Every structure is written in C-alpha cells, then in structure tokens.
Amino acid sequence: MLVRFWGTRGSLPVAQKADAIQGKIARALLAASGREFADEAEAAAFASQTLPFSTYGAYGGATSCVEIEGADDAFFVCDMGSGFREFGIDAFRRIAGGHARTYHIFLSHLHWDHIMGMPFFGPAFDPGATVVIHSGHADAEQALRRQQEEISFPVPFDWLQAKFQFVTHEMGVPAEIAGVTVTLIRQHHSHDSYGYHFARGGKSVIYSTDSEHKLENMDSEAAFEAFFRGADLVICDTMYSLGDSVSLKQDWGHSSNIVAVDLCRAAGARRLALFHHEPTYSDEDIERMFEETKRYEELLREDRAPLEVICAYDGLEVAI
Amino acid sequence: MDWTQETAGGRVVGRPMGRVDESTWELFSQHLIAAVRDARSASVPLVVDLAGLDYMSSRGLRALTMAKREAGDTVAITLAAPNDRMREILAISRYDKLFEIADSAGPD
Ligand SMILES: [Zn+2]
Ligand SMILES: [Zn+2]
C-alpha cells in the first residue's frame, strides 16, 4: 500500500502569506551566506540538504484528504476536505493512463472541513465514474446534498454525472472492499466521527482523525489500542498540546500529539503520522510540535521497539 | 509506582516513586485524589514531590488534571523537583503552563 496525503490541515484551509515566505527566504539567505552556487540546481541541492523543512518546504494548508493506493481497480480516499480537489485532478491524469474510474471514499464525519472539497471534485462530472461514499453516519448523503443547495453552491448535487452510492457501515464489522478489509470504530467528536482500519496482505493503515480521547474515560482507550494493534501506519488527530486539550480546548473534539504517541506505543504500532494540524500554526510551529513529539517518544521508549513519528504534509507519500 | 505521603510543615507532600504509565496510572490517580482530599480537610496546600519519579506518560499527566479538578479553588497543587526527563515532558505537554512547578519539595 501507498499512502498519499492531499490535505493535512485541520478545521480550515490556510494559505501562506508574504511574511511567511519572506521569513523562509531570509533564513535561507542567512544559511547560504558566503557561498556561491553555479546554478539553481546547485542552490536547490544545498537548500534541500541543509535547510529545515519549515524553511525549504511547507506543510501545506489543504484540509483532510488522504489517499490509500493498493485496492483492486479503485481509488481509495479518506475524507473530502479541500485537498480532494487536487486529488480529483490527479485522478484524471491516472485514468488517462488506464486507471479504473471507481472511487471508494471513506468519511470520518461530515464536518465542513472534511467534505468541502466535494463540490470541486472533477470526477463527479464524469458519467463513466462510480463514486461509493462509505460512512458510519446514516446522514452522509444529506450532508453532501445540503452543501450543494443553491444557498451555498451554484451546482446542485443532482447535476453530478457520476453514479453515486452511499454505504453506511456497522461498527467493528469488517467489510471487504476492492480487496481491502475495512473496519470502523466510533470516536468521540461532535455528531460522532469514525476511525478506519484498512488491511491487506498483512499490512494495515489506520485513519483516526477528529477524535478526542477524554480524560474522564481513559478506560475506553483500550478499544483504540486494540484498533491500532500492530498497525504499520496510524494517522492521528494531533491538533493540540495535551495541556490545551484538557483545559481551554477540552470538548473541542480533538486530541494531542502525546496521547497519540501513548496509544500507538501501547498498541505496538510501527509508525505514527501527525495529522489535522492546527490552522493557526506556522510551518515553524508544526515543525516544533513534530520535534517535541519525537522527543517525547524517545523519553518514554526504554527497551521497547521505537515508534517512528512522521509529520504529515500536503504531498507526502508513505510506502507501507 | 509506589506512593508515600506525609503532612508536615503546613503541607501535604505526596511522593510517587517509579513510573506512571498505562499500567500504573489508576493507582497514581487514586493516591493523588486522596491526597487532595487530605489537604482539603487539613486546609493546607498539596505538594507532589516528583524527585523519585522516573517519568509519567500522558495517563499520569491527565491524572494530575483530574486531581486539579478535584481540588478546584480549595487546594493549591505544586509539582516539585521533577528530574530532567519529567521537566521535558512537562514542557512538551504544556503542563508547565497548567501547574506551578517548584525546583525542590522543601519548604521555602
Ligand atoms: Zn476536522
Ligand atoms: Zn470535526
């Protein structure tokens, strides 16, 4: 399997403004002071080897959309946040190369940041396409139709040309979909959210976003440890610090980087991807959170196998 | 995780020893809540002396928050003498912004 992140930001899409870019350029110039480069390629090579990701790269600002490659003759995508638009454009490119026109979409929940890319999803206008929307929510179709009502969007849902199907899944009952075993777990979030377990050929990927692990019911975390058990990659909502998630931002429906580490450690998972980044965070803020999360894992590791922590960004691909 | 406790010098001092993680947090939490109640009945502050603690995971930190909720405005809680590892964990979790942290457990 291959996991491709099309959108990793939480709650609201963000775009970098000039001051963020200016800061990156100034830091890059400082790092390169006294050096000479023969051409742009040489400068790029220096930058990619020397500069931190927050200077030479960017985490991106599209909201939740994660593709999982590896199903039989179908696209698999978790959530339709604003990153879904770009996925749609890329899907056309791959279809031109012979890819099947079947899309299995797995919705964590129906909040706006997880469905806002749908009205801009080009393949929805392809009469030869089949789009299957999988959800734990019985009202998924209603949410998608509602956001394309005239008061919100000029193109009504009924004008879409693809064949749409809606499938509501039972919790904990594995479903075979295009060669992949898919299981759902209910998560604590306003109007509920659902985590997904994707398994194929002894490999597994977990998508668990918009999930608050409340301190009043730490006992219920055993269910998540079991759900994450032995996973090759766990994509987790790590929007806040633990301190924020138990004080100012408690009941906002999100979790912290260190609870994610603890759940993955207890579950014996191999890799954790930090996800659903706070929209007010700059690239430096996200990078600091990433460094701190790796450090926390190190501080608690002792003689256990290491948990590899990665930080999701728009465009990241992870081979499983 | 072991816990000892004494009331002296106008404070309740609780001393967790070892580590607080997914297997020991419940015991830690029970002792901590009981210590808050002891401090409240004696009308004195609670000092949690972390000197003998290797580390705590998010479970232990969240137990601290539960203790703080139990304490409300009635009992002041101070975390004292964290080792370097605990100090880093308190900073990474931003718990250094939620709790008073003292360098030593001794009376000032
Ligand atoms: Zn969200
Ligand atoms: Zn949400």
Side-chain angles (χ1 to χ4, degrees):
Chain A
M1 289 193 281
L2 179 82
V3 176
R4 189 176 289 118
F5 292 86
W6 292 97
T8 57
R9 192 64 66 146
S11 302
L12 192 73
V14 293
Q16 307 227 334
K17 291 204 290 286
D19 57 352
I21 308 295
Q22 287 156 356
K24 288 173 195 276
I25 291 173
R27 287 194 297 279
L29 288 172
L30 261 181
S33 53
R35 287 173 185 273
E36 282 187 29
F37 304 105
D39 51 24
E40 195 175 321
E42 208 179 294
F46 166 80
S48 69
Q49 283 156 26
T50 321
L51 301 176
F53 184 78
S54 61
T55 300
Y56 191 54
Y59 287 94
T63 64
S64 302
C65 182
V66 179
E67 181 187 358
I68 299 174
E69 240 187 74
D72 295 331
D73 302 321
F75 293 104
F76 263 42
V77 181
C78 298
D79 281 338
M80 307 187 296
S82 68
F84 196 48
R85 177 186 155 278
E86 234 189 299
F87 161 74
I89 294 166
D90 195 60
F92 279 133
R93 179 186 65 78
R94 284 141 74 186
I95 284 163
H99 197 289
R101 290 143 87 183
T102 302
Y103 303 81
H104 288 282
I105 313 294
F106 301 88
L107 291 181
S108 63
H109 63 313
L110 312 169
H111 283 163
W112 199 26
D113 56 318
H114 297 259
I115 63 170
M116 60 171 30
M118 175 61 213
F120 301 91
F121 181 52
F125 294 91
D126 172 5
T130 300
V131 182
V132 187
I133 312 270
H134 300 269
S135 179
H137 293 84
D139 46 4
E141 181 169 2
Q142 187 196 347
L144 296 191
R145 288 184 168 276
R146 200 178 60 172
Q147 81 166 343
Q148 292 196 226
E149 284 176 9
E150 195 182 5
I151 196 167
S152 302
F153 199 72
V155 181
F157 195 87
D158 280 332
W159 289 11
L160 302 178
Q161 315 254 305
K163 283 182 287 298
F164 277 86
Q165 293 166 26
F166 289 83
V167 180
T168 310
H169 289 269
E170 297 275 335
M171 293 316 91
V173 181
E176 292 297 323
I177 301 163
V180 179
T181 308
V182 183
T183 316
L184 282 71
I185 189 170
R186 184 177 287 108
Q187 305 176 140
H188 186 87
H189 195 70
S190 166
H191 198 64
D192 291 340
S193 70
Y194 295 89
Y196 288 86
H197 184 289
F198 300 93
R200 174 162 211 174
K203 300 281 184 187
S204 57
V205 175
I206 312 288
Y207 181 70
S208 173
T209 193
D210 295 62
S211 175
E212 183 167 0
H213 298 284
K214 290 184 68 64
L215 58 89
E216 294 84 356
N217 40 27
M218 280 197 263
D219 297 331
S220 71
E221 283 169 32
F224 285 89
E225 289 166 10
F227 196 71
F228 293 1
R229 179 78 52 216
D232 295 282
L233 176 68
V234 182
I235 301 161
C236 252
D237 171 0
T238 55
M239 196 169 183
Y240 302 137
S241 68
L242 179 63
D244 274 352
S245 77
V246 299
S247 57
L248 186 67
K249 294 170 181 174
Q250 69 160 324
D251 296 324
W252 289 19
H254 298 284
S255 194
S256 68
N257 53 343
I258 79 168
V259 168
V261 168
D262 284 355
L263 290 174
C264 286
R265 272 164 31 100
R270 281 179 193 80
R271 250 189 296 195
L272 162 66
L274 311 176
F275 184 73
H276 203 273
H277 305 310
E278 162 66 46
T280 63
Y281 277 9
S282 67
D283 284 334
E284 295 81 68
D285 293 333
I286 297 174
E287 191 165 74
R288 187 176 314 117
M289 185 273 296
F290 177 32
E291 293 303 327
E292 287 178 339
T293 313
K294 285 191 285 188
R295 180 67 183 147
Y296 175 77
E297 189 278 332
E298 237 173 64
L299 288 168
L300 270 67
R301 188 183 302 158
E302 304 211 298
D303 44 14
R304 299 193 213 199
L307 165 71
E308 186 190 346
V309 179
I310 58 176
C311 192
Y313 58 86
D314 298 5
L316 172 66
E317 293 184 354
V318 181
I320 307 297
Chain B
M1 206 277 314
D2 289 317
W3 176 276
T4 57
Q5 190 178 315
E6 60 174 15
T7 305
R11 310 150 334 135
V12 171
V13 180
R15 294 196 174 88
M17 309 285 286
R19 71 184 67 146
V20 179
D21 58 15
E22 59 269 27
S23 59
T24 56
W25 72 274
E26 280 167 303
L27 186 62
F28 174 66
S29 188
Q30 286 161 17
H31 283 302
L32 205 50
I33 298 284
V36 168
R37 291 177 184 156
D38 293 344
R40 182 186 294 132
S41 11
S43 300
V44 295
L46 169 64
V47 176
V48 184
D49 181 354
L50 301 175
L53 192 78
D54 297 332
Y55 67 82
M56 62 173 79
S57 70
S58 72
R59 303 268 187 164
L61 295 168
R62 290 182 283 171
L64 286 173
T65 296
M66 289 192 278
K68 196 173 178 116
R69 288 182 188 173
E70 172 69 26
D73 294 333
T74 61
V75 178
I77 303 177
T78 302
L79 309 180
N83 64 17
D84 288 347
R85 177 147 61 157
M86 251 332 281
R87 220 174 252 285
E88 267 196 85
I89 291 170
L90 291 168
I92 288 169
S93 61
R94 305 292 183 267
Y95 264 58
D96 56 356
K97 295 192 165 62
L98 298 182
F99 282 87
E100 193 73 43
I101 297 166
D103 288 340
S104 92
D108 304 312

